[in-house]
Amino acid sequence: MATSFRTHTCGELGAGEVGARVTLAGWVHRRRDHGHLTFFDLRDRYGITQVMTSADAEPAAHATAQDVRNEWVVQVEGVVRHRPDGTVNPELGTGEIEVAVDGLTVLNPAKVPPFYINEEQPGLDEALRLKYRYLDLRRPAMQTRLILRARLASALRRALEDEGFVDVETPTLIRSTPEGARDFVVPSRLQAGHFYALPQSPQQLKQLLMVAGYDRYYQLARCYRDEDQRVDRQAEFTQLDIEMSYVGEADVMATVERVAIRVSGETLPNRPILETPFPRFTFEEAMGRFGSDKPDIRFGMELVDLSSALDGVDFRVFADPIAAGGAVFAIRAPGCADYSRRQLDELTDLARRHGAGGLAHLAIEPDGSLRGPAAKFLGEAEERIRDATAAEPGDLLLMVADADRRTAAESLGMLRLEMGDRLGMRDSRALAYVWVHRFPMFTWDPEGERWDATHNPFSAPVPDEVERMESDPGSVHAQQYDLALNGWEVGGGSVRIHRRDLLEKAFSLMGHSLEGMRDQFGALLDALEYGAPPHGGIAIGLDRWAALFADVENIREVMAFPKTQSGSDLMMGAPSTISPEQLRELHLQVVPPERD
């Protein structure tokens, strides 16, 4: 990595270079002054090398070193030598050597940074980090994450191109279409009163590429959604976009699985994949067993439906939801029978925050009997409950009852994750991929009095359920599939509708008029009449995938320049106002929001 400023980087010198004359350049990571000797660690993104100056051997270089401070950019020249006995640092790749400096040049001094660069600073305000993001990105921890993300992207490109995929770039100025979130819009200067939209995804464009005959397309696509920010969402993000021709659901899943296995092994060779082939669950099975459509399968503690076991129990908390067509779900928390009232109240509050009306609990006594507020109502159901849950003495059963089965399952599913963390059951090293497929194709919107697509309106129904699309839309399942990893959804896709008549039928169920369809989706509808092959694909969030690989909970930790929770760029000061001249050129006028 030699340039006019350096012969080596700060991460490549070792015992093999002892005696060599070298030139290094980088930031001063940490400085230690011992009077006639000054040591400092020199850092670049490749690593750290210890250098030293001596007042006796090289007084000029040593005099310059007296002024040097952390984060100054310097260049040093000198000879590589072994570190003295007892001073080797096994934590560094360069820990066997140091550079005895005979020439030191200050390339650029630095102000004192607003936070530490050379060490972690617990509780550091994220707003400060984002305002000085160029300094935050200089920190070794952030550089490690960004480089990991780059390795992931490179591995994806290699794997996909070996699978025959072609990288095609699609435009970022397109027509506004409804895809679930609000569009970011861009006014046209040349066509007054008209607007482009930034793509929420290249969905229609990648389907048009299948009609165009490209067979296997991919892109690391920039996407934009004007929606509220969360730890796993940003206004602009990158997704791995894939589309394939002449495929069914199983073909797409098998291809993506091969790519994910290869990419995981190349990017994180020391983190094992928990299970291959990846487990596959239908949507109903995932909800019933884990209370989630993105289940974390790194631990057991699966949900158990106790509705049958509680048949005939005269306890309204259980009986009323069951009679209304709902369910009572339970999880078994091993060894937690001695939980205190405070601990149980915490779990009850958590269940309520996630939609449950309350939380019932039963502790298994040493003799196998059940203890808890509901125990006196159970009678013969006690044995059925123990058998259904495989409960043993010392265990704690946590139960949620609700007239809506999904509410009961989801709230208990969140409690399952909490108990998994409390009991240390989630292996942070394991990569637990799982497929969830066969989602309901439509969900009923009571406010709009129409059916909405569960995922996107282009998803194809399961072939033998097509005939029920008009007579019973709520019973139809789509050829949709999500890829989840360690409890996060990392991607979702589907086999697409490739016939115009069927797509128009789906749009009609969702309340679109014929004129509206042609206005918003005309290019795709027309293209389906020109020999569109069966096709399907998937979009995987690169930011989420990188965050999971980096073992961080916020995708901002693996993005170079993310926005805040409110969508602001604190470093560049965006969004901002624009000048009156710009507004005139765009034929726009800003109308202040009304105030109460």
Side-chain angles (χ1 to χ4, degrees):
M1 201 74 66
T3 70
S4 57
F5 281 90
R6 64 188 181 192
T7 59
H8 298 77
T9 70
C10 295
E12 64 180 303
L13 296 176
E17 283 75 37
V18 168
R21 182 165 184 79
V22 299
T23 303
L24 304 179
W27 287 271
V28 176
H29 185 68
R30 189 172 281 110
R31 179 180 177 278
R32 302 173 298 283
D33 195 339
H34 294 259
H36 70 291
L37 295 177
T38 296
F39 295 86
F40 57 89
D41 297 330
L42 198 61
R43 183 193 72 239
D44 58 19
R45 81 168 175 87
Y46 306 96
I48 292 174
T49 298
Q50 178 174 288
V51 304
M52 58 84 64
T53 64
S54 168
D56 298 329
E58 296 293 340
H62 184 73
T64 304
Q66 301 309 294
D67 297 326
V68 166
R69 294 294 180 266
N70 288 355
E71 300 310 312
W72 285 31
V73 185
V74 302
Q75 180 189 54
V76 300
E77 298 177 67
V79 176
V80 181
R81 69 183 190 185
H82 286 290
R83 290 197 190 192
D85 291 342
T87 64
V88 170
N89 184 352
E91 301 297 319
L92 288 180
T94 61
E96 290 185 73
I97 60 91
E98 63 185 14
V99 176
V101 174
D102 52 41
L104 191 156
T105 303
V106 175
L107 299 176
N108 208 344
K111 294 168 62 175
V112 176
F115 47 80
Y116 292 114
I117 306 294
N118 59 7
E119 61 184 70
E120 288 299 309
Q121 193 172 339
L124 179 60
D125 182 17
E126 188 183 38
L128 188 65
R129 292 177 57 199
L130 293 177
K131 181 177 180 180
Y132 296 95
R133 190 62 164 183
Y134 47 87
L135 294 178
D136 191 43
L137 290 173
R138 194 188 292 175
R139 295 190 302 123
M142 281 301 301
Q143 291 195 341
T144 297
R145 293 180 200 132
L146 264 291
I147 292 168
L148 174 69
R149 177 194 172 107
R151 293 210 324 266
L152 169 61
S154 294
L156 282 168
R157 291 185 183 280
R158 289 192 297 271
L160 288 164
E161 286 167 10
D162 286 350
E163 291 275 351
F165 285 82
V166 178
D167 182 4
V168 181
E169 201 172 70
T170 55
T172 54
L173 291 175
I174 62 170
R175 181 191 175 90
S176 180
T177 58
E179 289 199 35
R182 295 183 185 89
D183 285 330
F184 282 103
V185 295
V186 180
S188 170
R189 179 181 60 84
L190 298 176
Q191 300 180 51
H194 290 71
F195 296 82
Y196 300 103
L198 301 179
Q200 296 185 37
S201 78
Q203 179 65 47
Q204 294 187 62
L205 295 164
K206 67 180 182 179
Q207 289 189 243
L208 292 170
L209 285 170
M210 296 303 101
V211 180
Y214 284 85
D215 194 73
R216 291 191 167 203
Y217 140 93
Y218 87 95
Q219 181 184 186
L220 295 181
R222 295 294 285 171
C223 302
Y224 308 84
R225 295 180 186 174
D226 187 4
E227 59 186 353
D228 294 339
Q229 310 297 291
R230 298 208 299 254
V231 295
D232 61 349
R233 287 186 181 176
Q234 278 277 297
E236 56 178 318
F237 58 94
T238 303
Q239 70 181 29
L240 169 64
D241 208 48
I242 290 175
E243 199 75 8
M244 308 164 63
S245 292
Y246 304 108
V247 291
E249 181 182 76
D251 300 310
V252 179
M253 293 165 74
T255 303
V256 172
E257 188 165 318
R258 284 196 304 273
V259 170
I261 291 171
R262 173 175 166 178
V263 164
S264 299
E266 289 184 13
T267 311
L268 295 175
N270 297 320
R271 288 183 63 180
I273 294 178
L274 188 66
E275 188 175 343
T276 56
F278 301 164
R280 298 186 182 187
F281 305 107
T282 64
F283 170 75
E284 286 83 2
E285 186 182 6
M287 293 301 301
R289 290 176 60 179
F290 304 99
S292 173
D293 59 2
K294 46 183 182 296
D296 188 342
I297 62 168
R298 288 175 294 175
F299 67 108
M301 205 184 292
E302 293 186 18
L303 277 61
V304 178
D305 188 345
L306 292 181
S307 302
S308 297
L310 292 167
D311 185 41
V313 171
D314 187 19
F315 182 45
R316 291 189 61 186
V317 171
F318 295 154
D320 288 355
I322 293 172
V328 180
F329 285 103
I331 56 173
R332 179 178 68 87
C336 296
D338 60 351
Y339 258 36
S340 67
R341 168 54 57 187
R342 182 182 62 81
Q343 289 173 304
L344 292 170
D345 287 345
E346 287 175 355
L347 296 178
T348 302
D349 289 343
L350 179 65
R352 284 180 173 148
R353 286 201 302 273
H354 291 287
L359 180 69
H361 57 86
L362 293 168
I364 316 301
E365 299 281 53
D367 63 358
S369 62
L370 303 183
R371 169 174 53 83
K376 62 183 178 182
F377 300 99
L378 298 178
E380 295 179 358
E382 276 201 20
E383 185 176 352
R384 297 196 296 269
I385 291 171
R386 284 195 302 269
D387 290 345
T389 60
E392 299 178 355
D395 292 345
L396 178 67
L397 299 181
L398 300 170
M399 296 169 287
V400 172
D402 201 280
D404 182 79
R405 292 180 61 88
R406 183 165 180 176
T407 297
E410 285 183 335
S411 56
L412 193 61
M414 296 303 297
L415 203 61
R416 170 182 177 267
L417 298 178
E418 172 68 19
M419 294 306 298
D421 286 335
R422 289 190 177 201
L423 300 176
M425 301 173 77
R426 297 214 265 182
D427 181 357
S428 61
R429 291 187 65 254
L431 299 173
Y433 290 98
V434 58
W435 286 107
V436 178
H437 65 139
R438 297 298 167 97
F439 287 80
M441 186 165 179
F442 301 107
T443 54
W444 178 249
D445 176 10
E447 293 184 5
E449 296 187 342
R450 60 183 174 84
W451 293 97
D452 280 336
T454 303
H455 274 205
N456 68 54
F458 310 104
S459 301
V462 171
D464 58 7
E465 298 179 6
V466 173
E467 293 180 356
R468 300 205 302 269
M469 279 180 63
E470 290 182 301
S471 61
D472 189 10
S475 71
V476 178
H477 294 84
Q479 296 183 67
Q480 293 172 343
Y481 33 81
D482 280 359
L483 181 64
L485 172 59
N486 293 0
W488 281 31
E489 177 198 332
V490 291
S494 68
V495 171
R496 322 300 183 187
I497 296 174
H498 67 283
R499 285 176 19 217
R500 178 170 185 149
D501 60 330
L502 193 55
L503 185 55
E504 287 183 342
K505 183 184 294 186
F507 281 146
S508 179
L509 282 169
M510 290 178 275
H512 292 280
S513 66
L514 185 60
E515 294 75 16
M517 296 180 214
R518 289 172 176 168
D519 182 51
Q520 294 186 318
F521 307 104
L524 179 60
L525 289 169
D526 289 345
L528 296 183
E529 295 186 294
Y530 285 92
H535 59 280
I538 195 170
I540 296 177
L542 186 69
D543 312 294
R544 291 187 188 181
W545 208 352
L548 285 159
F549 276 11
D551 201 23
V552 294
E553 295 184 353
N554 194 319
I555 61 171
R556 291 194 288 269
E557 296 296 328
V558 293
M559 302 176 78
F561 300 104
K563 305 292 187 291
T564 65
Q565 191 92 2
S566 63
S568 298
D569 181 339
L570 299 181
M571 182 182 66
M572 301 292 288
S576 65
T577 59
I578 60 175
S579 70
E581 290 77 13
Q582 288 175 290
L583 288 172
R584 280 196 296 272
E585 284 182 340
L586 296 169
H587 318 287
L588 294 177
Q589 182 178 0
V590 175
V591 179
E594 294 182 4
R595 295 186 178 182
D596 294 336

